[in-house]
Amino acid sequence: FRSLRAAVLQIREEQAALLDCLVASELVSPQSWAAQLHRRRFAAALRSSPCSFEACLADVLTEPAHVALLVARYAGFQTVPAIRATSSSFAQSFGTRARALEEALTRLYVLGGSD
């Protein structure tokens, strides 16, 4: 068991070093690597548990329109760029509503005290 663990740790270290080299040479960005890894893992999950999708994230979050506001409100406005990065159609949809989202999620905090 220890030799297997050591081998896995060595492979992880080598993979990290290889990624560092690719990023340093500007052949790969950390974001594109993470996206490709996600695609591969998602494809493997679909192969092991096939399913069909009737809607995409953009479909779910755009109709009714208030759903996008609720997601942004509970996830936090700072997550909107990450959500927009999930697909170009969703980025376009959210882009048209960005100002409304920003206005809807503005908060006022009042702090005070007493003597």
Side-chain angles (χ1 to χ4, degrees), residues 82-101:
I83 295 171
R84 289 178 64 192
T86 60
S87 77
S88 57
S89 64
F90 192 62
Q92 201 171 30
S93 171
F94 244 78
T96 60
R97 298 183 187 164
R99 186 71 184 145
L101 284 171

Side-chain angles (χ1 to χ4, degrees), residues 4 7-9 11-12 19-20 23-25 28-29 39 42 47 53 55 60 63 70 84 87 90 95 98 101 107 111:
L4 180 59
V8 168
L9 291 174
I11 290 170
R12 285 183 178 170
L19 179 59
D20 288 344
V23 169
S25 64
V28 173
S29 72
R39 286 185 200 101
F42 190 76
R47 283 192 301 276
F53 299 101
V60 172
E63 290 300 326
L70 291 173
R84 289 178 64 192
S87 77
F90 192 62
L101 284 171
R107 295 185 181 159
L111 304 171

Side-chain angles (χ1 to χ4, degrees), residues 1-57:
F1 180 75
R2 286 184 185 202
S3 63
L4 180 59
R5 179 172 166 74
V8 168
L9 291 174
Q10 180 179 351
I11 290 170
R12 285 183 178 170
E13 185 66 24
E14 291 171 357
Q15 179 268 330
L18 179 59
L19 179 59
D20 288 344
C21 291
L22 292 170
V23 169
S25 64
E26 297 181 352
L27 293 171
V28 173
S29 72
Q31 296 83 4
S32 65
W33 175 81
Q36 185 61 30
L37 182 60
H38 171 76
R39 286 185 200 101
R40 292 177 62 86
R41 288 177 176 168
F42 190 76
L46 283 178
R47 283 192 301 276
S48 68
S49 301
C51 60
S52 63
F53 299 101
E54 296 176 15
C56 67
L57 182 61

